Amino acid sequence: MIFRSVRDVSIPAIGLGTWDLRGSQCSQTVSFALQNGYSHVDTAAYYENESEVGDGIRASGMNRSDLFLTTKVWWDQLAADAFRKSAETSLRKLQTDYVDLLLVHWPNPDIPLAETIGALVEAKDRGLARSIGVSNFPSALLRQAQDLAGGQLVTNQVEYHPFLSQRTLLQTTQDLGMALTAYCPIVKGRVDQEGLFRDLAEKYSKSPVQIALRWHVQQPNVIAIPKSSNPDRLKANIDVFDFELDRGEMAQIFALGSPEGRLINAAWGPVWDPE
Protein backbone atom coordinates (compact mmCIF):
# COMPACT_ATOMS: atom_id res chain seq x y z
CA MET A 1 0.00 0.00 0.00
CA ILE A 2 1.16 3.53 -0.82
CA PHE A 3 0.57 6.23 1.79
CA ARG A 4 0.12 9.98 1.35
CA SER A 5 1.94 12.06 3.91
CA VAL A 6 0.08 15.34 4.37
CA ARG A 7 0.93 17.72 7.21
CA ASP A 8 2.34 14.85 9.30
CA VAL A 9 -0.74 12.72 8.60
CA SER A 10 -0.22 9.37 6.84
CA ILE A 11 -3.24 8.36 4.72
CA PRO A 12 -3.51 5.08 2.74
CA ALA A 13 -3.76 5.97 -0.94
CA ILE A 14 -6.70 3.60 -1.47
CA GLY A 15 -9.58 3.30 0.96
CA LEU A 16 -12.98 1.66 1.11
CA GLY A 17 -15.92 3.88 0.17
CA THR A 18 -19.16 2.91 1.92
CA TRP A 19 -21.80 5.13 0.31
CA ASP A 20 -25.06 3.21 -0.15
CA LEU A 21 -23.90 0.18 1.85
CA ARG A 22 -26.49 -0.74 4.48
CA GLY A 23 -27.15 -3.25 7.23
CA SER A 24 -25.27 -6.53 7.39
CA GLN A 25 -23.91 -6.02 3.88
CA CYS A 26 -22.11 -2.91 5.12
CA SER A 27 -20.68 -4.45 8.28
CA GLN A 28 -19.61 -7.63 6.47
CA THR A 29 -17.99 -5.63 3.67
CA VAL A 30 -16.04 -3.47 6.11
CA SER A 31 -14.91 -6.49 8.11
CA PHE A 32 -13.85 -8.41 4.98
CA ALA A 33 -11.96 -5.43 3.57
CA LEU A 34 -10.04 -4.85 6.78
CA GLN A 35 -9.15 -8.53 6.98
CA ASN A 36 -7.89 -8.46 3.38
CA GLY A 37 -5.46 -5.60 3.17
CA TYR A 38 -7.48 -2.40 3.65
CA SER A 39 -6.72 0.01 6.48
CA HIS A 40 -8.70 3.07 5.33
CA VAL A 41 -12.51 3.30 5.59
CA ASP A 42 -14.64 6.28 4.53
CA THR A 43 -18.17 6.94 5.78
CA ALA A 44 -20.40 9.92 6.64
CA ALA A 45 -23.34 10.84 8.84
CA TYR A 46 -25.43 11.23 5.68
CA TYR A 47 -24.75 7.63 4.65
CA GLU A 48 -26.74 6.39 7.67
CA ASN A 49 -24.37 3.46 8.08
CA GLU A 50 -21.88 4.61 10.71
CA SER A 51 -23.18 2.05 13.23
CA GLU A 52 -22.71 -0.74 10.70
CA VAL A 53 -19.24 0.55 9.81
CA GLY A 54 -18.40 0.47 13.51
CA ASP A 55 -19.73 -3.09 13.77
CA GLY A 56 -17.60 -4.12 10.81
CA ILE A 57 -14.48 -2.60 12.32
CA ARG A 58 -15.04 -4.48 15.57
CA ALA A 59 -15.77 -7.74 13.77
CA SER A 60 -12.55 -7.42 11.74
CA GLY A 61 -10.38 -7.60 14.82
CA MET A 62 -8.16 -4.81 13.49
CA ASN A 63 -6.40 -2.71 16.09
CA ARG A 64 -7.82 0.81 16.14
CA SER A 65 -4.34 2.28 15.85
CA ASP A 66 -3.86 0.49 12.50
CA LEU A 67 -7.06 1.92 10.99
CA PHE A 68 -7.56 5.22 9.19
CA LEU A 69 -11.24 6.15 9.64
CA THR A 70 -12.99 9.09 7.98
CA THR A 71 -16.46 10.51 8.54
CA LYS A 72 -18.23 13.70 7.51
CA VAL A 73 -20.68 16.27 8.88
CA TRP A 74 -23.67 16.89 6.59
CA TRP A 75 -24.25 20.30 5.06
CA ASP A 76 -27.35 21.14 7.15
CA GLN A 77 -25.41 20.61 10.42
CA LEU A 78 -22.65 23.14 9.88
CA ALA A 79 -23.64 25.75 12.48
CA ALA A 80 -21.32 25.43 15.47
CA ASP A 81 -23.66 23.71 17.95
CA ALA A 82 -25.11 21.34 15.37
CA PHE A 83 -21.62 20.52 14.10
CA ARG A 84 -20.45 19.53 17.58
CA LYS A 85 -23.47 17.30 18.13
CA SER A 86 -23.07 15.65 14.73
CA ALA A 87 -19.40 14.85 15.34
CA GLU A 88 -20.11 13.45 18.79
CA THR A 89 -23.00 11.34 17.47
CA SER A 90 -20.80 9.96 14.70
CA LEU A 91 -18.20 8.82 17.23
CA ARG A 92 -20.84 7.04 19.30
CA LYS A 93 -22.20 5.24 16.26
CA LEU A 94 -18.72 4.32 15.05
CA GLN A 95 -17.87 3.02 18.54
CA THR A 96 -14.64 4.98 18.72
CA ASP A 97 -13.19 7.87 20.69
CA TYR A 98 -11.88 9.64 17.60
CA VAL A 99 -11.82 9.58 13.83
CA ASP A 100 -8.61 9.96 11.92
CA LEU A 101 -10.20 12.46 9.54
CA LEU A 102 -13.32 14.61 9.95
CA LEU A 103 -14.68 16.41 6.90
CA VAL A 104 -17.26 19.07 6.12
CA HIS A 105 -19.34 17.08 3.64
CA TRP A 106 -20.57 19.97 1.45
CA PRO A 107 -20.29 23.74 1.86
CA ASN A 108 -23.43 25.59 2.94
CA PRO A 109 -23.68 29.22 1.75
CA ASP A 110 -26.34 29.96 4.39
CA ILE A 111 -23.94 29.29 7.27
CA PRO A 112 -20.82 31.44 7.64
CA LEU A 113 -17.78 29.48 6.54
CA ALA A 114 -15.81 30.93 9.46
CA GLU A 115 -18.30 29.40 11.90
CA THR A 116 -18.14 26.00 10.24
CA ILE A 117 -14.36 25.87 9.98
CA GLY A 118 -14.12 27.12 13.55
CA ALA A 119 -16.25 24.17 14.68
CA LEU A 120 -14.14 21.79 12.57
CA VAL A 121 -10.91 23.05 14.14
CA GLU A 122 -12.51 22.83 17.57
CA ALA A 123 -13.34 19.15 16.95
CA LYS A 124 -9.66 18.52 16.26
CA ASP A 125 -8.58 20.52 19.30
CA ARG A 126 -10.94 18.43 21.47
CA GLY A 127 -9.41 15.21 20.16
CA LEU A 128 -12.54 14.08 18.32
CA ALA A 129 -10.52 14.02 15.09
CA ARG A 130 -6.82 13.51 14.49
CA SER A 131 -7.00 15.51 11.26
CA ILE A 132 -9.55 17.62 9.40
CA GLY A 133 -10.57 18.52 5.87
CA VAL A 134 -13.47 19.31 3.57
CA SER A 135 -15.42 17.71 0.75
CA ASN A 136 -16.94 19.14 -2.43
CA PHE A 137 -15.19 22.51 -2.16
CA PRO A 138 -14.18 24.32 -5.38
CA SER A 139 -10.84 26.11 -5.48
CA ALA A 140 -11.82 29.60 -4.30
CA LEU A 141 -13.81 28.25 -1.35
CA LEU A 142 -11.05 25.78 -0.54
CA ARG A 143 -8.52 28.59 -0.28
CA GLN A 144 -10.83 30.46 2.10
CA ALA A 145 -11.36 27.35 4.21
CA GLN A 146 -7.65 26.57 4.45
CA ASP A 147 -6.94 30.15 5.47
CA LEU A 148 -9.66 30.02 8.16
CA ALA A 149 -8.26 26.72 9.41
CA GLY A 150 -4.77 28.13 9.72
CA GLY A 151 -3.44 25.66 7.16
CA GLN A 152 -4.66 22.57 9.05
CA LEU A 153 -6.86 21.03 6.33
CA VAL A 154 -5.30 17.87 4.87
CA THR A 155 -7.66 16.94 2.03
CA ASN A 156 -10.57 17.93 -0.18
CA GLN A 157 -12.75 14.93 -1.10
CA VAL A 158 -14.38 15.45 -4.49
CA GLU A 159 -15.59 13.54 -7.51
CA TYR A 160 -12.55 12.71 -9.61
CA HIS A 161 -11.99 10.09 -12.28
CA PRO A 162 -10.53 9.74 -15.80
CA PHE A 163 -13.60 11.30 -17.44
CA LEU A 164 -13.77 14.37 -15.17
CA SER A 165 -10.95 16.88 -15.44
CA GLN A 166 -10.08 18.46 -12.08
CA ARG A 167 -6.93 20.21 -13.27
CA THR A 168 -7.58 23.46 -11.42
CA LEU A 169 -8.53 21.79 -8.16
CA LEU A 170 -5.56 19.43 -8.30
CA GLN A 171 -3.26 22.42 -8.60
CA THR A 172 -5.05 24.23 -5.79
CA THR A 173 -4.75 21.32 -3.39
CA GLN A 174 -1.07 21.04 -4.22
CA ASP A 175 -0.57 24.77 -3.69
CA LEU A 176 -2.29 24.50 -0.30
CA GLY A 177 -0.29 21.47 0.82
CA MET A 178 -3.31 19.17 0.69
CA ALA A 179 -4.30 15.86 -0.88
CA LEU A 180 -7.26 15.34 -3.19
CA THR A 181 -9.45 12.36 -2.25
CA ALA A 182 -11.34 10.96 -5.23
CA TYR A 183 -14.83 9.54 -4.88
CA CYS A 184 -16.41 7.78 -7.87
CA PRO A 185 -12.85 6.97 -9.01
CA ILE A 186 -13.95 4.15 -11.32
CA VAL A 187 -16.99 6.05 -12.65
CA LYS A 188 -19.40 3.36 -11.39
CA GLY A 189 -17.66 0.81 -13.61
CA ARG A 190 -17.77 2.87 -16.80
CA VAL A 191 -14.04 2.36 -17.30
CA ASP A 192 -14.82 -1.27 -18.19
CA GLN A 193 -16.38 -0.01 -21.44
CA GLU A 194 -13.54 2.28 -22.50
CA GLY A 195 -11.17 0.88 -25.11
CA LEU A 196 -8.05 2.51 -23.70
CA PHE A 197 -8.56 0.83 -20.33
CA ARG A 198 -9.23 -2.51 -21.97
CA ASP A 199 -6.02 -2.24 -24.01
CA LEU A 200 -3.94 -1.30 -20.99
CA ALA A 201 -5.60 -4.03 -18.93
CA GLU A 202 -4.51 -6.60 -21.49
CA LYS A 203 -0.96 -5.21 -21.56
CA TYR A 204 -0.54 -5.34 -17.80
CA SER A 205 -2.69 -8.43 -17.08
CA LYS A 206 -4.99 -6.31 -14.94
CA SER A 207 -8.63 -5.22 -15.18
CA PRO A 208 -9.78 -1.86 -16.59
CA VAL A 209 -10.79 -0.85 -13.05
CA GLN A 210 -7.30 -1.62 -11.78
CA ILE A 211 -5.82 0.51 -14.55
CA ALA A 212 -8.03 3.44 -13.50
CA LEU A 213 -7.08 3.06 -9.84
CA ARG A 214 -3.41 2.81 -10.74
CA TRP A 215 -3.77 6.09 -12.66
CA HIS A 216 -5.14 7.69 -9.50
CA VAL A 217 -2.43 6.50 -7.15
CA GLN A 218 0.38 7.43 -9.55
CA GLN A 219 -0.65 11.06 -9.11
CA PRO A 220 1.39 12.40 -6.20
CA ASN A 221 -1.33 13.94 -4.03
CA VAL A 222 -4.35 11.78 -4.95
CA ILE A 223 -6.22 9.25 -2.76
CA ALA A 224 -9.00 7.02 -4.14
CA ILE A 225 -11.93 5.50 -2.23
CA PRO A 226 -13.67 3.02 -4.56
CA LYS A 227 -16.77 1.23 -3.27
CA SER A 228 -17.58 -2.43 -3.74
CA SER A 229 -19.24 -5.17 -1.71
CA ASN A 230 -17.97 -7.95 -3.98
CA PRO A 231 -15.12 -9.83 -2.26
CA ASP A 232 -13.15 -10.43 -5.47
CA ARG A 233 -13.44 -6.80 -6.53
CA LEU A 234 -12.47 -5.59 -3.07
CA LYS A 235 -9.26 -7.58 -3.31
CA ALA A 236 -8.62 -6.43 -6.87
CA ASN A 237 -9.08 -2.76 -5.99
CA ILE A 238 -5.98 -2.76 -3.79
CA ASP A 239 -3.96 -5.04 -6.07
CA VAL A 240 -2.57 -2.11 -8.06
CA PHE A 241 0.87 -1.62 -6.54
CA ASP A 242 2.84 -4.17 -8.55
CA PHE A 243 2.93 -2.32 -11.88
CA GLU A 244 3.34 1.23 -13.18
CA LEU A 245 1.82 3.08 -16.13
CA ASP A 246 4.33 4.93 -18.24
CA ARG A 247 4.22 8.67 -18.82
CA GLY A 248 2.52 8.36 -22.20
CA GLU A 249 -0.18 6.08 -20.84
CA MET A 250 -0.86 8.46 -17.97
CA ALA A 251 -1.20 11.30 -20.49
CA GLN A 252 -3.62 9.27 -22.63
CA ILE A 253 -5.88 8.75 -19.62
CA PHE A 254 -5.67 12.42 -18.60
CA ALA A 255 -6.78 13.33 -22.13
CA LEU A 256 -10.13 11.58 -21.56
CA GLY A 257 -11.13 14.10 -18.90
CA SER A 258 -13.41 17.07 -19.38
CA PRO A 259 -15.63 19.27 -17.17
CA GLU A 260 -18.65 17.55 -18.75
CA GLY A 261 -17.71 14.22 -17.18
CA ARG A 262 -19.26 15.05 -13.81
CA LEU A 263 -21.69 12.48 -12.37
CA ILE A 264 -22.58 14.18 -9.07
CA ASN A 265 -24.13 17.62 -9.39
CA ALA A 266 -26.25 18.15 -6.29
CA ALA A 267 -28.80 20.95 -6.26
CA TRP A 268 -27.13 22.39 -3.15
CA GLY A 269 -23.64 22.10 -4.63
CA PRO A 270 -21.26 25.01 -5.25
CA VAL A 271 -20.21 26.45 -8.58
CA TRP A 272 -17.44 24.11 -9.72
CA ASP A 273 -14.10 25.08 -11.19
CA PRO A 274 -14.32 25.35 -14.99
CA GLU A 275 -11.68 22.59 -15.33
Side-chain angles (χ1 to χ4, degrees), residues 117-138:
I117 299 301
L120 181 64
V121 171
E122 179 190 278
K124 182 184 177 189
D125 291 343
R126 290 176 58 200
L128 305 183
R130 296 282 176 87
S131 61
I132 53 176
V134 295
S135 182
N136 297 301
F137 274 50

Side-chain angles (χ1 to χ4, degrees), residues 1 11-12 14-19 21 26-27 29-35 37-44 47 49-50 52-54 56-57 60 62 64 66-72 94 99-101 103 157 181 223-226 234:
M1 179 67 73
I11 308 174
I14 292 184
L16 174 67
T18 64
W19 160 244
L21 292 178
C26 179
S27 56
T29 297
V30 170
S31 179
F32 180 88
L34 295 178
Q35 291 171 341
Y38 287 78
S39 59
H40 177 183
V41 177
D42 180 275
T43 184
Y47 298 173
N49 64 7
E50 288 173 309
E52 290 82 359
V53 169
I57 292 169
S60 75
M62 175 176 274
R64 179 65 184 87
D66 296 327
L67 172 69
F68 192 93
L69 179 59
T70 300
T71 196
K72 314 176 194 74
L94 288 164
V99 289
D100 297 275
L101 178 61
L103 304 179
Q157 185 180 126
T181 301
I223 297 161
I225 48 170
L234 284 167

Side-chain angles (χ1 to χ4, degrees), residues 136-158:
N136 297 301
F137 274 50
S139 290
L141 203 59
L142 184 61
R143 291 184 184 278
Q144 294 176 39
Q146 184 68 299
D147 183 60
L148 289 165
Q152 296 186 69
L153 305 182
V154 301
T155 195
N156 184 21
Q157 185 180 126
V158 295

Side-chain angles (χ1 to χ4, degrees), residues 197-217:
F197 292 98
R198 289 181 174 181
D199 292 344
L200 292 172
E202 183 175 357
K203 174 182 175 180
Y204 289 103
S205 299
K206 294 291 183 179
S207 71
V209 164
Q210 288 172 310
I211 298 298
L213 291 173
R214 181 66 207 185
W215 173 78
H216 280 87
V217 301

